[in-house]
């Protein structure tokens, strides 16, 4: 798929730190309970750390107890790209930024008690947070 923001691997490596590059461009996962945005409770917007596209609003964030920031829906359905992921010997749904194709995390149908029933389990390092002013 062609993305609105497209860069070479070298350009992404220059822009992102090693840990961000591993998650955003190589689909790595940060360790649970370590992300800076896990306990963020202020009102604001979460954007892609690679391209700045708005992805989630703070009002959709909830404590799922999984160790990563969780949201029950994206800011708009077209803001994220959902892709079947069969790595690790199981079927999951990968979530990517629809603007640049960066890996954000996975979505699971176990967001019990949320309006959508979904749990977008995102890597903190893949997101930038901008608080409301």
């Amino acid at each position: 798929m062609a993305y609105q923001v497209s860069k070479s691997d070298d350009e992404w490596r220059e822009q992102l730190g090693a840990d961000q590059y591993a998650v955003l461009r190589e689909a790595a996962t940060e360790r649970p309970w370590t992300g800076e945005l896990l306990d963020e409770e202020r009102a604001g917007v979460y954007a892609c750390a690679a391209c700045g596209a708005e992805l989630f609003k703070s009002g959709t964030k909830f404590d799922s107890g999984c160790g990563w920031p969780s949201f029950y829906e994206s800011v708009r359905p077209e803001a994220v790209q959902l892709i079947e992921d069969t790595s690790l010997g199981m079927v999951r749904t990968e979530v990517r930024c629809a603007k640049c194709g960066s890996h954000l995390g996975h979505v699971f149908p176990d967001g019990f008690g949320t309006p959508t029933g979904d749990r977008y389990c995102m890597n903190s390092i893949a997101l930038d947070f901008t608080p409301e002013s």
Side-chain angles (χ1 to χ4, degrees):
M1 174 177 180
Y3 295 100
Q4 186 179 353
V5 174
S6 180
K7 298 181 180 187
S8 70
D9 283 341
D10 287 341
E11 290 172 313
W12 284 123
R13 283 182 198 281
E14 243 180 76
Q15 176 186 329
L16 306 169
D19 292 340
Q20 275 190 318
Y21 183 87
V23 170
L24 290 160
R25 305 309 304 171
E26 298 178 319
T29 301
E30 68 188 356
R31 290 185 344 228
W33 311 107
T34 63
E36 290 182 21
L37 298 175
L38 178 62
D39 296 320
E40 179 60 63
E41 295 181 0
R42 294 175 291 172
V45 175
Y46 295 83
C48 176
C51 73
E54 289 188 0
L55 300 170
F56 301 97
K57 291 188 178 178
S58 59
T60 65
K61 188 173 189 265
F62 68 103
D63 182 2
S64 67
C66 71
W68 293 275
S70 297
F71 305 84
Y72 62 78
E73 68 183 354
S74 61
V75 70
R76 291 175 316 285
E78 65 273 11
V80 295
Q81 179 184 24
L82 305 179
I83 299 171
E84 183 177 286
D85 175 4
T86 57
S87 65
L88 304 179
M90 64 180 104
V91 178
R92 302 179 294 171
T93 303
E94 178 185 6
V95 180
R96 291 186 189 173
C97 173
K99 189 173 179 180
C100 70
S102 289
H103 173 80
L104 305 168
H106 290 85
V107 62
F108 302 96
D110 62 2
F112 306 114
T114 68
T116 63
D118 290 330
R119 174 175 56 96
Y120 284 80
C121 183
M122 303 291 98
N123 289 285
S124 282
I125 201 167
L127 303 173
D128 283 333
F129 176 72
T130 303
E132 284 183 4
S133 44

